[in-house]
Amino acid sequence: MKYALMTVYQPDEAVLNNAASVAGQVDRLYLCDNSETSSAPAFAQLQMEKNVEYLWMGGNLGLSSAFNRVLKSRDIPWQESDYVLFFDQDSRIGPNHVEGLIAQFENLTERGEPMGCLGPVYFNSSSGQTEMPRMKRPLSEHVYAVSSIITSSMLTTYGCLREIGFWNERLFLDMADWDLCWRIVQSGKTCCMTDAVVLQHRVGRGEKRFGPLRLRVGAPFREYYQIRDCLYLAGQEYTPAKYRLRFAAMILIRSPLHVLLLDHRGQRLRFILMGFRDFLKKRSGPIPQNEYAIPE
């Protein structure tokens, strides 16, 4: 069986179209809606026409908890060999996207590679470039071993997810995909990327250049999750050494640059400080509602 799980938040017509394109390439699509209110009527037609199940989470559970609610469900007849794909609501896939990923996954498996997860290269519409890690090890003509891949379009098996304990619910949003990939690698399996399949994907709200500097622009509240969760991951024994250095650069260099050079500087600074505070409090989950709306 081929299952797909997609998190959605305040979905619009574009999300409906993206969900329909995914549903057409898998046996079953689960839509995990983290919105504060249900959008069930908007998805009613899609559920009638396609193999889609809409699930309102009852509030914002975050990426990891929403996915795990489906993966741990006893109402779904999960098998170890089932393929599982993850998507976010903004990613568009072309014809034969899923088939192409599975073909590469099975090809490497037949050659004896202990496959853990596989994702496509992605065309980042924010930068106008197709992105692939600089550090990679060729496994075949079109597949490379890498340290991590993004959530959207990630292909793995249910058995692999069960073996590592599924998604880490300590991570709410940002870096949950890194954590999953690193634990897959720690279990002795390979994390891969293929250039035989390309995903249309948008990272953040775009990019800004300041001379030689190129900064990805995200919503101010994302600063909170990135700080809180990078501090958590820096202390995990499975986190690669180069990422510990990257996290140090995020804290010491990137965050000050965001406050100095990007918009909503006051909000960004407050969210960064809240991220430090809530890491020390060992808080997980969403930003506390009474602190979400921060004045400029």
Side-chain angles (χ1 to χ4, degrees), residues 227 245-257 276:
I227 287 294
L245 295 174
R246 182 169 178 171
F247 293 151
M250 284 177 60
I251 294 168
L252 300 174
I253 300 174
R254 197 196 72 163
S255 291
L257 288 175
F276 278 103

mmCIF file of all heavy atoms in Angstrom, residues 227 245-257 276:
data_model
loop_
_atom_site.group_PDB
_atom_site.id
_atom_site.type_symbol
_atom_site.label_atom_id
_atom_site.label_comp_id
_atom_site.label_asym_id
_atom_site.label_seq_id
_atom_site.Cartn_x
_atom_site.Cartn_y
_atom_site.Cartn_z
ATOM 1 N N ILE A 227 14.803 28.662 17.113
ATOM 2 C CA ILE A 227 15.708 28.799 18.257
ATOM 3 C C ILE A 227 15.449 27.704 19.285
ATOM 4 O O ILE A 227 16.370 27.001 19.734
ATOM 5 C CB ILE A 227 15.552 30.194 18.901
ATOM 6 C CG1 ILE A 227 16.171 31.266 18.008
ATOM 7 C CG2 ILE A 227 16.202 30.216 20.294
ATOM 8 C CD1 ILE A 227 17.680 31.163 17.861
ATOM 9 N N LEU A 245 27.591 22.891 14.773
ATOM 10 C CA LEU A 245 28.221 24.146 14.370
ATOM 11 C C LEU A 245 27.228 25.058 13.674
ATOM 12 O O LEU A 245 27.232 26.277 13.864
ATOM 13 C CB LEU A 245 29.417 23.859 13.446
ATOM 14 C CG LEU A 245 30.589 23.115 14.076
ATOM 15 C CD1 LEU A 245 31.635 22.773 13.018
ATOM 16 C CD2 LEU A 245 31.209 23.943 15.202
ATOM 17 N N ARG A 246 26.370 24.461 12.854
ATOM 18 C CA ARG A 246 25.351 25.249 12.155
ATOM 19 C C ARG A 246 24.391 25.897 13.149
ATOM 20 O O ARG A 246 23.993 27.056 12.979
ATOM 21 C CB ARG A 246 24.589 24.346 11.185
ATOM 22 C CG ARG A 246 23.532 25.059 10.374
ATOM 23 C CD ARG A 246 23.017 24.150 9.271
ATOM 24 N NE ARG A 246 21.974 24.791 8.500
ATOM 25 C CZ ARG A 246 21.473 24.290 7.373
ATOM 26 N NH1 ARG A 246 21.952 23.156 6.878
ATOM 27 N NH2 ARG A 246 20.508 24.923 6.726
ATOM 28 N N PHE A 247 24.020 25.162 14.186
ATOM 29 C CA PHE A 247 23.124 25.729 15.189
ATOM 30 C C PHE A 247 23.797 26.880 15.939
ATOM 31 O O PHE A 247 23.153 27.879 16.267
ATOM 32 C CB PHE A 247 22.695 24.641 16.174
ATOM 33 C CG PHE A 247 21.822 23.576 15.568
ATOM 34 C CD1 PHE A 247 21.834 22.288 16.072
ATOM 35 C CD2 PHE A 247 20.990 23.855 14.494
ATOM 36 C CE1 PHE A 247 21.023 21.305 15.520
ATOM 37 C CE2 PHE A 247 20.180 22.877 13.934
ATOM 38 C CZ PHE A 247 20.200 21.597 14.451
ATOM 39 N N ALA A 248 25.083 26.729 16.201
ATOM 40 C CA ALA A 248 25.810 27.822 16.850
ATOM 41 C C ALA A 248 25.791 29.065 15.974
ATOM 42 O O ALA A 248 25.600 30.192 16.459
ATOM 43 C CB ALA A 248 27.242 27.390 17.141
ATOM 44 N N ALA A 249 25.958 28.867 14.653
ATOM 45 C CA ALA A 249 25.920 30.000 13.723
ATOM 46 C C ALA A 249 24.524 30.609 13.654
ATOM 47 O O ALA A 249 24.369 31.833 13.529
ATOM 48 C CB ALA A 249 26.372 29.549 12.336
ATOM 49 N N MET A 250 23.492 29.774 13.749
ATOM 50 C CA MET A 250 22.123 30.286 13.760
ATOM 51 C C MET A 250 21.907 31.235 14.933
ATOM 52 O O MET A 250 21.291 32.297 14.794
ATOM 53 C CB MET A 250 21.127 29.125 13.844
ATOM 54 C CG MET A 250 20.918 28.356 12.560
ATOM 55 S SD MET A 250 19.777 26.960 12.793
ATOM 56 C CE MET A 250 18.295 27.824 13.331
ATOM 57 N N ILE A 251 22.411 30.829 16.080
ATOM 58 C CA ILE A 251 22.193 31.611 17.294
ATOM 59 C C ILE A 251 23.063 32.866 17.310
ATOM 60 O O ILE A 251 22.586 33.974 17.616
ATOM 61 C CB ILE A 251 22.472 30.737 18.525
ATOM 62 C CG1 ILE A 251 21.443 29.603 18.611
ATOM 63 C CG2 ILE A 251 22.472 31.567 19.800
ATOM 64 C CD1 ILE A 251 21.799 28.524 19.607
ATOM 65 N N LEU A 252 24.338 32.702 16.960
ATOM 66 C CA LEU A 252 25.293 33.801 17.118
ATOM 67 C C LEU A 252 25.359 34.753 15.924
ATOM 68 O O LEU A 252 25.738 35.916 16.076
ATOM 69 C CB LEU A 252 26.693 33.231 17.378
ATOM 70 C CG LEU A 252 26.837 32.366 18.635
ATOM 71 C CD1 LEU A 252 28.221 31.757 18.693
ATOM 72 C CD2 LEU A 252 26.547 33.190 19.876
ATOM 73 N N ILE A 253 24.998 34.266 14.754
ATOM 74 C CA ILE A 253 25.143 35.085 13.546
ATOM 75 C C ILE A 253 23.810 35.324 12.849
ATOM 76 O O ILE A 253 23.410 36.470 12.622
ATOM 77 C CB ILE A 253 26.136 34.426 12.555
ATOM 78 C CG1 ILE A 253 27.504 34.271 13.212
ATOM 79 C CG2 ILE A 253 26.238 35.260 11.269
ATOM 80 C CD1 ILE A 253 28.508 33.492 12.372
ATOM 81 N N ARG A 254 23.096 34.232 12.512
ATOM 82 C CA ARG A 254 21.885 34.391 11.708
ATOM 83 C C ARG A 254 20.799 35.162 12.442
ATOM 84 O O ARG A 254 20.172 36.070 11.877
ATOM 85 C CB ARG A 254 21.339 33.028 11.273
ATOM 86 C CG ARG A 254 20.349 33.132 10.131
ATOM 87 C CD ARG A 254 19.534 31.867 9.959
ATOM 88 N NE ARG A 254 18.568 31.713 11.037
ATOM 89 C CZ ARG A 254 17.523 30.895 10.973
ATOM 90 N NH1 ARG A 254 17.328 30.159 9.891
ATOM 91 N NH2 ARG A 254 16.691 30.794 11.980
ATOM 92 N N SER A 255 20.551 34.817 13.703
ATOM 93 C CA SER A 255 19.474 35.489 14.438
ATOM 94 C C SER A 255 19.718 36.986 14.578
ATOM 95 O O SER A 255 18.806 37.792 14.325
ATOM 96 C CB SER A 255 19.292 34.832 15.811
ATOM 97 O OG SER A 255 18.764 33.533 15.661
ATOM 98 N N PRO A 256 20.934 37.433 14.959
ATOM 99 C CA PRO A 256 21.176 38.883 14.982
ATOM 100 C C PRO A 256 20.983 39.542 13.611
ATOM 101 O O PRO A 256 20.459 40.667 13.525
ATOM 102 C CB PRO A 256 22.628 38.988 15.455
ATOM 103 C CG PRO A 256 22.845 37.755 16.262
ATOM 104 C CD PRO A 256 22.066 36.688 15.555
ATOM 105 N N LEU A 257 21.391 38.862 12.538
ATOM 106 C CA LEU A 257 21.197 39.423 11.202
ATOM 107 C C LEU A 257 19.721 39.561 10.870
ATOM 108 O O LEU A 257 19.297 40.549 10.252
ATOM 109 C CB LEU A 257 21.895 38.558 10.163
ATOM 110 C CG LEU A 257 23.426 38.620 10.133
ATOM 111 C CD1 LEU A 257 23.983 37.625 9.130
ATOM 112 C CD2 LEU A 257 23.909 40.040 9.802
ATOM 113 N N PHE A 276 14.541 31.011 23.550
ATOM 114 C CA PHE A 276 15.533 30.675 24.586
ATOM 115 C C PHE A 276 14.834 30.353 25.913
ATOM 116 O O PHE A 276 15.153 29.359 26.578
ATOM 117 C CB PHE A 276 16.491 31.848 24.798
ATOM 118 C CG PHE A 276 17.603 31.924 23.794
ATOM 119 C CD1 PHE A 276 17.561 32.849 22.763
ATOM 120 C CD2 PHE A 276 18.702 31.084 23.875
ATOM 121 C CE1 PHE A 276 18.588 32.931 21.831
ATOM 122 C CE2 PHE A 276 19.731 31.155 22.959
ATOM 123 C CZ PHE A 276 19.675 32.079 21.923
#
